[in-house]
Amino acid sequence: MGVEEEFLLLDPDTWHSRPAVEQVRAALPDEVRRASRQEFRRSCLEMVTPVCTGTAELRSALLANRHAAADAAARTGARLVALGASPVAEPDVSVTHSPHYRAIAEHYGRIGHDPALCGGQVHVGVPDRDRAVRICTALRPWLPVLQAMTANSPFDGGADTGFDSWRGIANDRWPGTIPPPPLRDFADYERTVAELVATGAMLKPSMVWWYARPSLDYPTVEVRIADVSATAGDAVLLAALIRALVATVDRAAAPPLDVPEHLLHAAHWNACHTGLTGTLMDLRHRAARPAWDVVGDLITTVTPALAEHGDLDLVETGVDRLRTEGNGATRLRRAAQTPAGLAAALHARANETRG
């Protein structure tokens, strides 16, 4: 497994997004720079772990990336902050110097000039692409649960949006950012993608930014549903859950659950809205239930795979912490409700980001 994390670069005085990615990457040590990527917005920096086989190895790689990136950002006068969306303002919405990103900005007009959005992507090794497509279809009922657990973007324009994941809501404006459609195999995937590109909604096949997809660059299933994790520990918890979930659905004897599209979209909207503080849609029974009951069902479902990977204690401890402290959105809101306000909360989040 491996993890890609997208971070915001913020000005420590105004907490506006700061277009400093070129300077930050230049300030990284050479060996770390190879693990960095420029994203669509110049106020974002992506850091990529190597391929890992265990959660301890993954945690070490995530912390090394975060430490190096935070130090490089500080040398340029910025702060590295793990949030799913620009919290205050984005005065400069220019895109990075890439023909690919410039073509996207031109094609999508106003959507392409929205403030920065940052996610956390988890790759799990699946060497057969037909299997990878079937796994993505089988993941559909559980993706809203993961979205609620990892929601980490409650602020926009300096104000509380009323959503735990404003990134999830803003992403809906992009045509390629949707739940994976139910597909049979990789040939079915290629036909579907070609049809979508032919409509003009997407410029090229690489713009299939589905919540779960077979990676075209690696022999993996890539799960893209999460806001970037507030801490490395949150990211490890997410990766362990996704690896166990991929293994569980891959071995399941029953066919993937038939999930109506209207319920799936509603489940994702609700996960973005209330996170873990309200109800989540149990798509297996087509009923709204207390969020923590549905999370409990997820943990029960993947427990055999977690035990096999040696991750059961780690996940149980992480989920207990999540139940006590809340997801990233809840924790940031709580910190912002002090007299020091959002600025102090973002300062604390920058420290959390580094680890």
Side-chain angles (χ1 to χ4, degrees), residues 154-155 160 322-339 341 345:
F155 290 95
D160 194 323
L322 198 62
R323 186 191 294 270
T324 301
E325 300 179 2
N327 60 18
T330 295
R331 302 199 303 265
L332 189 66
R333 277 197 181 103
R334 185 184 304 125
Q337 288 168 356
T338 66

Side-chain angles (χ1 to χ4, degrees), residues 209-241:
W209 298 320
W210 296 344
Y211 299 159
R213 67 179 185 181
S215 173
L216 299 182
D217 297 321
Y218 309 105
T220 65
V221 164
E222 180 184 4
V223 179
R224 306 173 52 85
I225 189 60
D227 289 356
V228 66
S229 295
T231 68
D234 290 342
V236 172
L237 172 62
L238 173 66
L241 279 172

Side-chain angles (χ1 to χ4, degrees), residues 89-206:
E90 183 110 15
D92 183 337
V93 292
S94 58
V95 300
T96 49
H97 301 293
S98 154
H100 171 62
Y101 288 136
R102 291 190 179 279
I104 291 174
E106 181 177 349
H107 184 74
Y108 289 98
R110 179 65 184 84
I111 298 174
H113 294 86
D114 281 348
L117 304 173
C118 295
Q121 292 89 45
V122 176
H123 288 260
V124 177
V126 178
D128 181 276
R129 282 185 166 173
D130 288 336
R131 280 172 64 197
V133 169
R134 290 192 289 270
I135 287 169
C136 290
T137 297
L139 289 176
R140 281 160 46 100
W142 296 111
L143 293 174
V145 189
L146 295 173
Q147 189 169 37
M149 295 174 74
T150 58
N152 183 33
S153 50
F155 290 95
D156 178 67
D160 194 323
T161 64
F163 288 83
D164 272 21
S165 177
W166 187 244
R167 169 184 169 272
I169 298 300
N171 260 339
D172 275 348
R173 302 173 68 181
W174 292 89
T177 310
I178 59 174
L183 302 173
R184 296 180 298 275
D185 52 32
F186 193 68
D188 197 13
Y189 170 90
E190 290 186 305
R191 283 192 298 271
T192 301
V193 172
E195 290 168 351
L196 290 170
V197 172
T199 68
M202 289 187 289
L203 293 177
K204 57 180 69 175
S206 62

Side-chain angles (χ1 to χ4, degrees), residues 5 7-9 24-25 27-29 31-33 35-36 45-49 56-76 78-82 229-233 349-355:
E5 295 192 293
F7 299 102
L8 291 172
L9 299 170
V24 173
R25 291 191 74 212
L28 287 168
E31 67 275 10
V32 182
R33 191 179 306 119
S36 71
L45 173 69
E46 181 176 65
M47 300 298 297
V48 180
T49 72
E57 181 187 7
L58 179 64
R59 182 189 299 274
S60 177
L62 288 165
L63 285 171
N65 280 351
R66 285 172 174 240
H67 290 171
D71 290 347
R75 285 195 288 275
T76 72
R79 297 299 302 274
L80 187 84
V81 185
S229 295
T231 68
R349 175 56 59 84
N351 292 336
E352 277 190 305
T353 299
R354 188 183 188 280

